[in-house]
């Protein structure tokens, strides 16, 4: 899991995207969410989804970003 996440993160970053990760706990154990952005325009993000899916083989979704204080 760690290796594939790092490889995916590097691949996305090498393609010009800003990437960050967040560890989460699920019923299946620990996972890592990979985020691309932030981007202020939702339409711009929606247009990027197909190329990100092709790049990562993962169906992503646009989510609102809530900065931590």
């Amino acid at each position: 899991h760690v290796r594939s996440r790092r490889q995916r993160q590097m691949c996305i970053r090498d393609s010009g995207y800003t990437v960050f990760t967040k560890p989460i706990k699920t019923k299946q154990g620990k996972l890592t969410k990979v985020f691309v952005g932030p981007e202020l325009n939702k339409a711009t993000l929606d247009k990027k989804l197909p190329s990100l899916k092709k790049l990562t083989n993962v169906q992503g979704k646009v989510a609102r970003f809530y900065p931590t204080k």
Side-chain angles (χ1 to χ4, degrees), residues 11-28:
C11 180
I12 296 168
R13 184 174 286 133
D14 290 348
S15 295
Y17 294 98
T18 301
V19 180
F20 62 99
T21 61
K22 179 180 177 182
I24 61 168
K25 291 181 183 179
T26 69
K27 291 179 183 179
Q28 294 80 22

Side-chain angles (χ1 to χ4, degrees), residues 46-60:
D46 287 333
K47 289 180 185 177
K48 292 179 180 180
L49 282 176
S51 63
L52 286 166
K53 181 178 180 180
K54 185 176 180 180
L55 185 66
T56 62
N57 269 344
V58 174
Q59 178 60 53

Side-chain angles (χ1 to χ4, degrees), residues 39-49 61-64:
E39 172 64 55
L40 297 177
N41 187 330
K42 183 179 184 297
T44 301
L45 288 171
D46 287 333
K47 289 180 185 177
K48 292 179 180 180
L49 282 176
K61 65 179 183 176
V62 175
R64 183 173 291 251

